[in-house]
Amino acid sequence: MSDSEEEQVKQAPIIKPHQKQQKDFYAEQLQANEEADSQAPLLVVVQGPKGSGKTTLIKSLVKHYTGQKIKKLVGPVTVRSNKQHRVTFIECPSDINAMSDLSKVADLALILIDASIGFEMETFEYLSLLNNHGFPNVMGVLTHIDFFKDNKQLRKTRKKYKKRFEYETGGNYKLFYLQALKNEYYLKQDIHNLARFISIIKIAPVRWKTEHPFILADRYEQGKDNTTTFYGYVRGCTYRLNDRIHFVGQGDYYIDSFEEVLDPVEIITTQKKHRSLKDTEKLVYAPMSSVGALTIDATAGYITIPQPIFTEKNKFVNNEEQDDEEIEEQEQEQELPEGVRMVRELQQLTEGIDKQLEEEEDAQLLEGFELEEDQPIKKKNNQQQIQQQRELVRLKNRVNIKIENGTVMPISDTLLATDLHELIYQNKNGINEFDSVRYIPKVSDRDSYKEIKELFVTGFYGQNDVVDLENLEKQIEVEEQEQEEQEQEQEKKDNNQKDDSQNQKDNQQQRQQLVNELTSSNLGLYKKGTYVKIVIKDFSSSIKDDYPMILARSEVGEDNLGFIKIRIKKHRWHSNILKSNDPIIISLGWRRFQTIPIYCVQDPNDRLRFIKYTPEYEYCYAIFYGNFAPQGTGLVCTQSLSNKLSKFRIAATGIVLEMNHQFDVMKKLKLVGEPFKVIKNTAFIKGMFNSSLEVAKFQGGLIKTVSGLRGHIKKPSKLGPDGSFRATFEDKIQMSDLVFCRTWVRMHIERFYRLITSNVKLMKTMWELRQEKQIPLEFKPESTYQDQERVPVKFAPLRIPNNLQQNLPFESKEKVKSLSFRERLRQQVEKNLPVKSNMTDKEKEVYSLIQRLNTIKNEKEKKREQKDINKQKIKEAQFKGQKQHLEEGKRKYKQQKQKDKFIKQVKKQQQQQ
Amino acid sequence: MISFQQVINFREILLCSTLSERAVKIEFQQYPGPHLQTMLKLLQLIQTGCKIDVNTKGIIYIPGIITNQDGMLQTYNCGVERSISYYLEILLILSLFGKAPLNIELNGITNDQTDQSVDSIINAYIPLIKKFCPDWDVSLKVTRRGFLAGTGTIILHSKPIKQIQATTIIERGPICKIRGVCSGSKVAPNLLNRVVSQCRNVFNDYIPDVWIHTDLQKSQKGIEFQNGYAVSLVAESTNGLFISCDCEYSNDLNNPEKVGETAALRLLDEIKNCGCFDTTQQQFALLMMAISQRKVSQIKLGRISTHTIETLRIIRSIFGVTFNIEDSVFSCIGCGLMNLSRQTQ
């Protein structure tokens, strides 16, 4: 990793506004966690690219918790991790819909990263989905580590991945390493560590979930006449019964029935010394997948019997000995243990158990195991009991309520709850006699109110008119004692601040009790963590088993449709910018839908100005028609639902700002016209409008020429073509001027909304349509840039009239007088005329003499100069000649010398010879 | 769409429908009167995207979003069928869930015999709502009094809030103060003082801290005032709860002494029989509980008016909130209504 990248990693991640909100909210939640003791199973979403080992991880974890093996993993798996704690695992498919749905509901996301490949697209997509749907707890898991044989390289990659993961998640999140596989499971120690972290994790409350209850269905049953039954835990927050439910990814449905049923993985409340779970208490609940040999389908349960790997004794024996063997077999069968015999009988079955069961009555598979699962437990009995009680009480206390003068008056101090409750909610006829008026109390005697003196501050003192002195003293003593006690208490409080926290705890407990009471008193409230059964009628769409089934309550106001203004930013990894009026798929709240947004920016005067495309690295606003969701809800946009991973699928992310039934998004419009008649400051302009009616609408409007002369539209004129009008300007305009009228047009926002369901037909984007129909991009030649030929303009010279010139201040006056044409002409003529001399004769003589003398002098100087030049020439020639001569001499001398030398040498040689 | 049959009291249905943004269909037992039109027009004034279909048998009401005309000052004439406070009671709750602050001038009756007086709204009703949303910024001023002829004027400024808080109010505490306003127009100033003194006469047996203002409408040019006088009393408890009652001049109560005494006795009756909120306003306290955040709210009530029962049924059918009632303590978990029309940056 280079230095620059490291720097990037060190940078603190930017906290986005909705994250900040989340942070504040987190603090708030920690302060008052009302529903602390009723916990739904921790929802752990296992996400990763294909082949990263998601299924293996879930299988290993389930094996760790319960010792059971899952053969085929489908749907959520709930296990009991300890007495108070349950965990649900669900595998996340790499389908973008499932990913976005599961990012909304996850309590903890286990993100698997294949170490042999590195970070893949899905991981980043899922992280940004999590980021925008409220960040839950995240844990990275690095698998396929055995790919690296070299230890040093392994360490390096680990470090690199860890840093990158921390950067992407904003730090503080663990990255786990899973070593090699062993017998198709991860190593025991690794899984043990991971499980420990899962069990001690503190769940970060996500705002969306704490306000929106939902049910992640464990299993479903499709019965006759289109009724479908779903089972699952209530999660998020307390579920308030409603007539409708939203099946995420399918649509809204009316609920037929909604009731609490037996919890398959109950919390163990009995307190015993043993902290750990017994083997019998270790439970796994995975109705859709096959655990061990048992599979429960939508319609029936199956027991899988593996291929027989054993052989019955004596099966392969000679036919001859058969008779004897038969006898022996019979004997042996009697001897066989009961279990073995039963299995063998099962193997030899010809008709299924269900048929056998039809024949027999009161058949039981195993003792203590009840086939019927949807028993509304205890509740029914309770309800009956309560009703009986109520009736009894009502009979007894019939006189307790009196209806009189438009009010219900309790006669005794304690008004009976049951009666009033019934009066309000069960009596359908109603007491509906008046339009709303104020209540006027019936007044009786003045004396009859004497008894309420004690309801006043002063009343306590007026109870006894005559007070005995002894009593007074006693009272004073008592008061003093009380005061002392109070002081002591205060001291205690000061000393022990723990008391406050104790009080808070007590308060919380009280509140908790209240919540419990309310949820158990049959007001249509279901605490989170209750296992419920929901029956939906006319459920027509098909269900995919591997797809998460999320049933969410449709909240008040949130199933309404209207225009939503959001702050949106194109995702930095998405390859292209988004276009206004191009359909887009938005995942907002529980719903995913296709809609047609338009993008805009806000001008300083709060005008929403239309823009054609989203800016590349900047936030802008978008307005679309969709489901309302509370302000501050995050949303994610995608352009298609295809599972092709050719590019980053998340197109943009945003946050809800405002909802309304109309938004004024304006687009700039410049109307152009040209004058056809100019009279002083008035001009007649054509070509801007098409009819006089249009002109009438714009009367008094501001117009402007290119040079900046401002004006008003006055009235339509009869001169010129239809739609021409009279206008006045602040100055006379030129005939060659163009006149603009700057206006704003309101943009139409499409009311297009299509919920994404499993069999939805999506609207095509412009690009897709062009691709399909082979329509080329529209080309307008006049819209392209063209070379402009510009003829240089010759302007007449500036001339300032004399009058004006005189009145100018000195600064601006012409310093050198400019001449008029006549003056200049005269000057020229004068220039050409012979100059008249005004010298006297004597002066002339002198002048001519001097002239002549000068001529002589000049002549002489000329001659002298000539002479000098000649001399110089001669000198130079001489010098040249001398030089030549000298060099020649030198050369000759050298030659002579060489000659002499040669001769000498020759002579020497001769002598030697 | 939720349908209601055989309706006489449509106001609470329209209020709940607007708050929840759920469309309703109302079938009337008999035509309620011209104030239905006034009410619907007022609702249309403060909303966008609101659709109303009226015929002789009933109405279909599809609520929109409360924009309050982007905070511009509106003027609205409430007519003479019902007093201003009939509209104010629901307008105040609706203004909590608006996009912009509500600035409105309402013309009409300030004191009459069928509805609460505007003074009771100021002194008891606004503190009631403030119990559930402490940061609410509101001001309500009576600029002119109007009896029967509808010459009164009030000016209301109210800012929207985010969400209503869950509140537990079980103990009222002893009454520590009694305040009131005695208002009149076109009567002798002496008359109001007589009303006040008679009130004090009754309260003297109970509490010394009694202070009743008098507010006599001065004559103004171009306006013909109807003559009349009324007194509105408010009792404050040590826990900051207010109990109000009204009494006006009428044929039965035709002298100031009678008015004063009846008013005082009515207040005593309310103190005796109502719980933490007075009988007229209890239904709105219950509504505030139902639309508060998802936590437990509790209030203690005394006698329960038939309107409250009706409102409780409407709350259940629109918001799905059912109250648990034990020893006249009403408790529920709020439905967590958010201000969806609020603007955020």
Side-chain angles (χ1 to χ4, degrees):
Chain A
M1 190 184 281
S2 70
D3 288 349
S4 62
E5 269 177 310
E6 271 180 359
E7 271 177 14
Q8 250 187 15
V9 171
K10 276 173 197 169
Q11 272 179 5
I14 303 152
I15 296 170
K16 286 166 190 167
H18 59 277
Q19 280 176 343
K20 202 193 155 232
Q21 243 181 24
Q22 175 79 38
K23 220 176 168 184
D24 297 345
F25 170 70
Y26 184 49
E28 212 175 273
Q29 276 290 310
L30 284 182
Q31 270 186 358
N33 202 348
E34 278 201 342
E35 292 170 286
D37 83 336
S38 59
Q39 282 298 343
L42 183 78
L43 183 56
V44 181
V45 174
V46 181
Q47 192 275 337
K50 254 182 189 175
S52 57
K54 289 171 287 189
T55 318
T56 321
L57 182 64
I58 294 177
K59 282 179 182 172
S60 309
L61 279 164
V62 170
K63 202 191 163 199
H64 165 82
Y65 281 124
T66 63
Q68 302 237 43
K69 287 182 182 178
I70 292 180
K71 282 194 173 158
K72 199 187 159 204
L73 182 73
V74 185
V77 182
T78 310
V79 295
R80 185 184 280 160
S81 58
N82 65 43
K83 284 190 174 176
Q84 300 289 323
H85 200 243
R86 298 164 294 179
V87 188
T88 303
F89 296 102
I90 186 164
E91 190 182 324
C92 178
S94 62
D95 178 59
I96 189 88
N97 289 338
M99 275 163 75
S100 75
D101 286 348
L102 282 176
S103 67
K104 289 168 197 168
V105 297
D107 288 321
L108 167 69
L110 286 180
I111 293 174
L112 266 64
I113 299 148
D114 191 338
S116 61
I117 300 168
F119 285 89
E120 281 173 78
M121 197 92 90
E122 282 105 328
T123 308
F124 290 120
E125 280 172 348
Y126 195 64
L127 277 172
S128 72
L129 277 167
L130 285 176
N131 218 340
N132 285 286
H133 289 310
F135 212 80
N137 292 60
V138 167
M139 209 183 272
V141 179
L142 208 59
T143 58
H144 295 261
I145 282 188
D146 49 332
F147 172 78
F148 297 100
K149 304 289 185 240
D150 185 9
N151 223 354
K152 198 181 170 188
Q153 201 193 350
L154 171 66
R155 234 183 300 135
K156 249 185 159 180
T157 18
R158 264 181 165 193
K159 212 176 169 186
K160 194 173 124 191
Y161 287 158
K162 197 183 170 190
K163 269 192 175 170
R164 185 66 206 253
F165 188 73
E166 274 176 6
Y167 176 63
E168 287 300 329
T169 53
N172 295 333
Y173 292 107
K174 280 257 176 314
L175 185 65
F176 261 90
Y177 312 103
L178 292 183
Q179 309 289 345
L181 289 173
K182 200 177 175 186
N183 299 333
E184 294 181 17
Y185 290 97
Y186 289 112
L187 292 185
K188 257 189 177 176
Q189 190 57 42
D190 289 350
I191 291 297
H192 180 81
N193 286 344
L194 184 62
R196 170 122 190 85
F197 263 90
I198 289 171
S199 64
I200 62 163
I201 207 158
K202 273 187 184 172
I203 306 169
V206 176
R207 177 165 222 132
W208 178 258
K209 275 191 289 176
T210 49
E211 282 164 2
H212 296 83
F214 63 93
I215 291 138
L216 179 72
D218 278 329
R219 73 188 175 100
Y220 67 96
E221 280 170 13
Q222 273 172 332
K224 289 161 194 171
D225 47 271
N226 271 343
T227 53
T228 315
T229 318
F230 295 92
Y231 297 85
Y233 288 99
V234 173
R235 292 163 197 273
C237 58
T238 310
Y239 194 98
R240 183 191 302 287
L241 199 54
N242 195 1
D243 54 347
R244 284 206 303 176
I245 205 159
H246 178 72
F247 193 114
V248 177
Q250 300 282 9
D252 290 79
Y253 294 96
Y254 281 94
I255 300 173
D256 206 39
S257 80
F258 191 107
E259 55 189 338
E260 189 179 344
V261 289
L262 191 70
D263 192 342
V265 191
E266 265 183 317
I267 290 174
I268 301 166
T269 44
T270 48
Q271 286 185 340
K272 281 178 188 171
K273 279 180 184 176
H274 298 292
R275 270 187 152 192
S276 57
L277 291 169
K278 287 179 202 166
D279 279 356
T280 49
E281 286 168 347
K282 287 179 178 172
L283 273 182
V284 55
Y285 183 67
M288 275 152 75
S289 39
S290 51
V291 184
L294 197 73
T295 318
I296 297 170
D297 197 52
T299 48
Y302 303 96
I303 299 170
T304 345
I305 297 154
Q307 291 279 315
I309 45 170
F310 66 94
T311 50
E312 283 180 40
K313 269 184 194 172
N314 314 318
K315 196 124 203 203
F316 306 102
V317 277
N318 294 334
N319 287 334
E320 294 166 18
E321 295 171 43
Q322 207 175 1
D323 290 359
D324 299 339
E325 290 301 323
E326 267 184 13
I327 300 157
E328 268 186 28
E329 242 179 61
Q330 280 171 359
E331 280 172 6
Q332 270 185 349
E333 261 183 28
Q334 282 167 359
E335 286 166 20
L336 279 172
E338 201 186 353
V340 178
R341 214 180 57 231
M342 278 172 78
V343 172
R344 284 194 187 170
E345 274 172 13
L346 268 175
Q347 276 179 306
Q348 286 155 4
L349 268 181
T350 47
E351 53 181 4
I353 290 179
D354 46 346
K355 278 184 185 172
Q356 283 189 359
L357 283 179
E358 277 173 20
E359 291 162 15
E360 289 178 46
E361 280 177 14
D362 299 333
Q364 268 195 332
L365 253 187
L366 299 164
E367 247 179 298
F369 214 103
E370 283 167 29
L371 269 177
E372 281 180 74
E373 278 163 51
D374 35 281
Q375 282 183 339
I377 43 136
K378 297 172 198 170
K379 248 207 163 155
K380 246 183 189 170
N381 294 333
N382 272 357
Q383 277 175 29
Q384 280 174 355
Q385 276 180 3
I386 288 168
Q387 267 189 357
Q388 281 174 357
Q389 275 182 354
R390 274 184 186 172
E391 263 171 57
L392 274 175
V393 169
R394 203 175 59 222
L395 285 172
K396 275 184 192 170
N397 302 294
R398 204 165 239 175
V399 279
N400 227 356
I401 279 181
K402 200 170 78 181
I403 300 170
E404 180 198 300
N405 185 27
T407 54
V408 181
M409 278 277 288
I411 289 176
S412 67
D413 284 345
T414 52
L415 182 68
L416 260 178
T418 46
D419 280 356
L420 198 55
H421 200 276
E422 238 168 64
L423 183 74
I424 294 169
Y425 292 119
Q426 260 141 53
N427 187 358
K428 278 177 187 172
N429 296 328
I431 324 159
N432 200 343
E433 289 166 13
F434 327 90
D435 197 349
S436 70
V437 287
R438 84 161 193 253
Y439 174 73
I440 300 169
K442 260 195 174 178
V443 190
S444 47
D445 249 2
R446 196 165 154 176
D447 297 332
S448 61
Y449 295 108
K450 288 277 180 198
E451 61 195 74
I452 64 158
K453 270 187 182 175
E454 60 189 35
L455 294 177
F456 289 83
V457 181
T458 44
F460 298 110
Y461 299 102
Q463 271 177 352
N464 298 317
D465 288 338
V466 189
V467 186
D468 294 336
L469 275 176
E470 287 176 23
N471 278 348
L472 243 179
E473 277 173 9
K474 273 181 188 173
Q475 266 193 358
I476 290 164
E477 273 178 23
V478 169
E479 275 176 16
E480 276 177 356
Q481 272 186 357
E482 276 177 4
Q483 268 192 353
E484 275 176 23
E485 276 172 15
Q486 276 182 357
E487 277 170 13
Q488 279 176 355
E489 272 177 24
Q490 268 198 345
E491 275 175 24
K492 269 185 188 174
K493 271 186 186 175
D494 292 337
N495 291 338
N496 289 335
Q497 285 190 333
K498 280 177 190 173
D499 279 9
D500 279 353
S501 62
Q502 190 81 38
N503 273 339
Q504 275 186 359
K505 265 186 188 173
D506 287 349
N507 273 339
Q508 256 190 26
Q509 274 183 356
Q510 275 185 0
R511 260 189 252 156
Q512 190 52 48
Q513 273 186 357
L514 262 173
V515 172
N516 286 345
E517 273 175 28
L518 285 177
T519 44
S520 61
S521 60
N522 195 28
L523 301 176
L525 294 172
Y526 295 88
K527 262 191 300 184
K528 70 175 174 183
T530 42
Y531 198 70
V532 292
K533 169 193 161 190
I534 306 159
V535 182
I536 294 172
K537 256 188 185 176
D538 304 327
F539 189 82
S540 49
S541 44
S542 59
I543 301 170
K544 280 185 201 165
D545 285 352
D546 57 341
Y547 209 79
M549 293 176 282
I550 299 161
L551 293 129
R553 184 179 187 275
S554 33
E555 290 295 315
V556 171
E558 284 173 26
D559 45 2
N560 282 7
L561 289 174
F563 291 115
I564 305 175
K565 181 178 148 195
I566 59 167
R567 195 192 297 127
I568 193 173
K569 193 183 168 196
K570 196 212 84 173
H571 200 285
R572 64 189 193 281
W573 291 332
H574 191 68
S575 52
N576 40 336
I577 52 175
L578 307 173
K579 190 182 175 173
S580 275
N581 282 326
D582 216 19
I584 202 169
I585 296 151
I586 291 175
S587 155
L588 167 64
W590 289 121
R591 290 168 171 83
R592 280 176 277 111
F593 51 87
Q594 194 183 34
T595 187
I596 298 180
I598 63 170
Y599 303 103
C600 53
V601 288
Q602 198 153 25
D603 282 346
N605 60 355
D606 282 2
R607 181 197 291 125
L608 292 172
R609 187 159 52 78
F610 172 82
I611 48 175
K612 263 188 184 172
Y613 298 94
T614 56
E616 203 147 0
Y617 306 108
E618 219 182 338
Y619 277 103
C620 70
Y621 295 118
I623 290 163
F624 61 83
Y625 188 70
N627 265 106
F628 285 169
Q631 293 89 343
T633 314
L635 54 90
V636 174
C637 310
T638 48
Q639 272 192 317
S640 72
L641 293 173
S642 73
N643 284 331
K644 279 179 196 168
L645 279 172
S646 58
K647 62 180 182 181
F648 198 71
R649 284 178 290 185
I650 290 159
T653 58
I655 181 172
V656 175
L657 293 183
E658 195 187 337
M659 278 143 282
N660 207 341
H661 284 289
Q662 65 181 54
F663 275 103
D664 292 345
V665 181
M666 312 304 270
K667 190 180 179 181
K668 198 193 272 180
L669 176 72
K670 240 179 178 182
L671 301 173
V672 186
E674 45 196 34
F676 61 91
K677 197 175 182 185
V678 180
I679 311 160
K680 286 194 177 169
N681 287 359
T682 306
F684 290 86
I685 290 152
K686 64 176 182 186
M688 193 178 277
F689 302 111
N690 290 321
S691 66
S692 50
L693 195 74
E694 278 180 19
V695 179
K697 228 183 170 187
F698 279 83
Q699 249 176 33
L702 290 169
I703 45 177
K704 217 178 186 185
T705 64
V706 180
S707 54
L709 283 177
R710 293 165 298 179
H712 289 285
I713 297 173
K714 286 293 181 192
K715 263 187 174 178
S717 89
K718 282 167 190 170
L719 305 167
D722 201 15
S724 53
F725 61 89
R726 179 167 59 84
T728 53
F729 289 87
E730 53 189 352
D731 205 346
K732 190 182 175 185
I733 64 165
Q734 294 280 315
M735 280 294 280
S736 58
D737 268 338
L738 276 182
V739 180
F740 294 126
C741 180
R742 290 176 61 184
T743 56
W744 295 90
V745 192
R746 185 172 292 118
M747 292 296 292
H748 173 70
I749 314 168
E750 289 295 335
R751 282 175 183 267
F752 174 78
Y753 173 86
R754 186 161 291 172
L755 202 71
I756 307 284
T757 57
S758 51
N759 48 4
V760 73
K761 226 180 173 188
L762 289 177
M763 182 185 253
K764 283 165 187 158
T765 61
M766 289 290 263
W767 183 82
E768 280 169 341
L769 271 179
R770 280 188 203 287
Q771 285 278 312
E772 202 175 90
K773 307 257 169 178
Q774 294 291 317
I775 307 166
L777 274 173
E778 224 174 290
F779 173 72
K780 284 182 191 166
E782 66 258 34
S783 298
T784 53
Y785 287 101
Q786 281 156 348
D787 287 337
Q788 290 254 319
E789 278 180 31
R790 292 189 199 279
V791 185
V793 188
K794 274 187 181 174
F795 295 104
L798 180 74
R799 199 166 298 147
I800 302 161
N802 277 347
N803 267 347
L804 187 65
Q805 184 83 255
Q806 278 165 10
N807 292 332
L808 283 174
F810 179 75
E811 244 177 47
S812 317
K813 258 181 191 162
E814 264 184 332
K815 305 295 179 307
V816 183
K817 200 193 172 193
S818 63
L819 302 170
S820 66
F821 178 69
R822 207 170 269 179
E823 282 169 341
R824 234 181 302 145
L825 202 72
R826 195 186 297 147
Q827 223 176 32
Q828 252 176 11
V829 172
E830 274 176 9
K831 235 184 196 175
N832 297 340
L833 284 174
V835 183
K836 269 184 184 175
S837 139
N838 45 6
M839 281 191 286
T840 53
D841 286 346
K842 206 177 179 183
E843 277 173 342
K844 266 183 187 174
E845 266 174 34
V846 173
Y847 185 73
S848 67
L849 181 70
I850 289 168
Q851 249 188 346
R852 269 177 282 150
L853 282 172
N854 272 344
T855 322
I856 293 162
K857 186 193 158 200
N858 288 346
E859 206 65 22
K860 271 184 180 171
E861 272 180 358
K862 255 185 192 173
K863 276 180 184 171
R864 199 176 297 149
E865 267 174 25
Q866 196 61 43
K867 248 184 190 173
D868 285 352
I869 289 163
N870 287 343
K871 268 185 186 173
Q872 196 74 23
K873 274 182 182 172
I874 292 162
K875 257 188 180 175
E876 274 176 12
Q878 277 177 348
F879 183 68
K880 241 184 183 175
Q882 275 177 355
K883 226 182 178 178
Q884 269 182 2
H885 186 71
L886 229 153
E887 276 174 6
E888 216 163 290
K890 271 183 184 173
R891 207 178 62 232
K892 276 180 183 172
Y893 177 72
K894 269 185 184 172
Q895 278 176 358
Q896 195 65 40
K897 249 192 170 176
Q898 275 177 354
K899 259 184 188 175
D900 291 348
K901 237 184 182 176
F902 184 71
I903 291 163
K904 266 183 185 175
Q905 275 178 355
V906 173
K907 276 179 183 174
K908 262 187 183 175
Q909 279 172 1
Q910 279 172 357
Q911 276 174 1
Q912 277 172 359
Q913 280 170 3
Chain B
M1 192 172 290
I2 309 163
S3 62
F4 293 89
Q5 270 110 31
Q6 298 281 310
V7 173
I8 295 177
N9 180 14
F10 58 90
R11 188 176 64 151
E12 278 72 22
I13 300 175
L14 292 179
L15 170 63
C16 289
S17 159
T18 317
L19 287 174
S20 66
E21 292 177 41
R22 293 184 80 169
V24 286
K25 186 181 176 187
I26 304 173
E27 279 174 26
F28 292 119
Q29 219 174 61
Q30 67 207 45
Y31 184 66
H35 59 285
L36 171 68
Q37 295 275 340
T38 323
M39 175 64 79
L40 291 174
K41 275 180 188 164
L42 178 64
L43 287 172
Q44 240 173 1
L45 181 77
I46 59 165
Q47 289 183 81
T48 55
C50 160
K51 283 170 198 162
I52 299 167
D53 185 11
V54 193
N55 59 31
T56 49
K57 282 183 181 175
I59 54 172
I60 292 170
Y61 175 69
I62 302 166
I65 273 191
I66 304 163
T67 53
N68 293 335
Q69 303 274 2
D70 297 331
M72 305 249 279
L73 182 68
Q74 304 295 313
T75 312
Y76 189 73
N77 190 5
C78 293
V80 291
E81 290 83 33
R82 298 301 291 257
S83 80
I84 292 176
S85 42
Y86 177 75
Y87 306 98
L88 255 184
E89 274 171 12
I90 72 156
L91 200 61
L92 280 167
I93 295 183
L94 288 178
S95 71
L96 295 172
F97 292 91
K99 192 185 285 300
L102 174 66
N103 295 318
I104 198 163
E105 186 190 297
L106 295 174
N107 299 318
I109 304 166
T110 53
N111 303 61
D112 81 346
Q113 285 175 34
T114 45
D115 294 300
Q116 294 187 75
S117 67
V118 178
D119 304 300
S120 293
I121 298 256
I122 296 170
N123 293 329
Y125 188 64
I126 289 177
L128 181 151
I129 301 177
K130 271 194 177 168
K131 276 274 165 197
F132 292 91
C133 28
D135 346 311
W136 187 34
D137 191 356
V138 65
S139 85
L140 180 58
K141 270 181 195 170
V142 185
T143 48
R144 203 160 59 206
R145 294 273 167 193
F147 293 84
L148 292 175
T151 47
T153 306
I154 60 119
I155 291 179
L156 168 69
H157 302 285
S158 162
K159 279 187 181 169
I161 55 141
K162 223 173 169 182
Q163 201 181 21
I164 289 169
Q165 286 178 5
T167 317
T168 300
I169 301 163
I170 290 177
E171 276 187 34
R172 183 174 72 189
I175 306 294
C176 61
K177 278 178 197 172
I178 287 175
R179 295 284 178 270
V181 180
C182 184
S183 55
S185 78
K186 240 183 158 183
V187 288
N190 180 27
L191 223 126
L192 303 185
N193 292 339
R194 277 162 68 192
V195 174
V196 173
S197 67
Q198 188 60 32
C199 282
R200 291 193 67 106
N201 189 9
V202 176
F203 290 130
N204 275 344
D205 293 348
Y206 301 93
I207 193 163
D209 191 359
V210 179
W211 190 262
I212 299 163
H213 300 265
T214 54
D215 180 12
L216 187 64
Q217 180 61 48
K218 283 171 192 168
S219 60
Q220 284 177 358
K221 267 188 183 176
I223 299 167
E224 275 194 26
F225 288 105
Q226 186 100 16
N227 56 348
Y229 58 93
V231 61
S232 156
L233 297 173
V234 174
E236 189 185 344
S237 76
T238 47
N239 287 0
L241 295 166
F242 295 85
I243 292 157
S244 71
C245 89
D246 287 298
C247 190
E248 295 83 14
Y249 160 83
S250 66
N251 290 336
D252 297 338
L253 306 166
N254 49 10
N255 73 45
E257 278 74 22
K258 261 188 189 173
V259 171
E261 183 161 346
T262 328
L265 290 177
R266 276 179 187 177
L267 187 67
L268 289 179
D269 194 70
E270 281 284 273
I271 292 169
K272 184 186 171 188
N273 287 323
C274 78
C276 293
F277 299 104
D278 64 50
T279 321
T280 315
Q281 292 168 5
Q282 59 187 204
Q283 52 175 333
F284 297 104
L286 291 169
L287 177 66
M288 294 300 275
M289 281 166 73
I291 59 176
S292 67
Q293 69 199 109
R294 288 166 184 282
K295 283 177 186 171
V296 182
S297 299
Q298 280 182 306
I299 60 169
K300 185 165 184 167
L301 297 176
R303 60 180 162 209
I304 290 139
S305 72
T306 45
H307 294 306
T308 311
I309 292 174
E310 191 62 22
T311 310
L312 285 173
R313 287 182 195 146
I314 295 165
I315 288 172
R316 186 179 62 166
S317 50
I318 293 185
F319 292 106
V321 176
T322 316
F323 283 81
N324 195 31
I325 308 159
E326 254 170 50
D327 295 345
S328 58
V329 172
F330 285 66
S331 49
C332 76
I333 297 179
C335 73
L337 190 75
M338 305 278 283
N339 184 355
L340 286 182
S341 51
R342 195 168 50 93
Q343 239 172 338
T344 48
Q345 279 305 311

